[in-house]
């Protein structure tokens, strides 16, 4: 996964309340843009961002770079 995306997502741990709201907004946007995504696809299981990002990538049939670009645009 592209380092910038991982760093952005890893920052979610720094301020849980603010970042939780930010991630919830991003999830809402992603689900509206990509209707095949589910809450389960966008859930951090045991804090494993990489597994979640891989799941989203496979679900959307896109490359890591494409997913990084999408996340960066949010």
């Amino acid at each position: 996964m592209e380092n910038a995306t991982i760093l952005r997502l890893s920052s979610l741990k720094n301020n849980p309340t603010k970042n939780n709201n930010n991630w919830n907004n991003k999830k809402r946007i992603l689900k509206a843009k990509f209707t095949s995504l589910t809450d389960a696809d966008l859930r951090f299981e045991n804090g494993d961002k990489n597994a979640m990002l891989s799941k989203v990538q496979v679900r959307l049939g896109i490359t890591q770079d494409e997913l990084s670009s999408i996340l960066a645009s949010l």
Side-chain angles (χ1 to χ4, degrees):
M1 191 63 44
E2 187 176 308
N3 289 338
T5 300
I6 292 171
L7 289 173
R8 257 192 310 284
L9 291 174
S10 68
S11 71
L12 293 176
K13 294 181 181 178
N14 295 339
N15 185 343
T17 303
K18 178 183 176 186
N19 291 319
N20 188 40
N21 290 336
N22 187 33
W23 179 241
N24 286 335
N25 287 335
K26 288 183 179 192
K27 285 192 311 186
R28 182 181 47 78
I29 293 166
L30 286 168
K31 285 174 51 181
K33 186 172 183 174
F34 303 100
T35 57
S36 63
L37 290 176
T38 65
D39 286 328
D41 294 330
L42 298 168
R43 185 175 304 125
F44 284 75
E45 306 239 354
N46 298 320
D48 192 354
K49 296 178 296 281
N50 291 332
M52 185 269 305
L53 293 172
S54 293
K55 193 184 306 184
V56 170
Q57 180 186 339
V58 168
R59 171 77 72 179
L60 298 177
I62 59 177
T63 67
Q64 290 178 350
D65 288 339
E66 290 169 321
L67 180 56
S68 294
S69 180
I70 291 166
L71 292 173
S73 72
L74 300 179

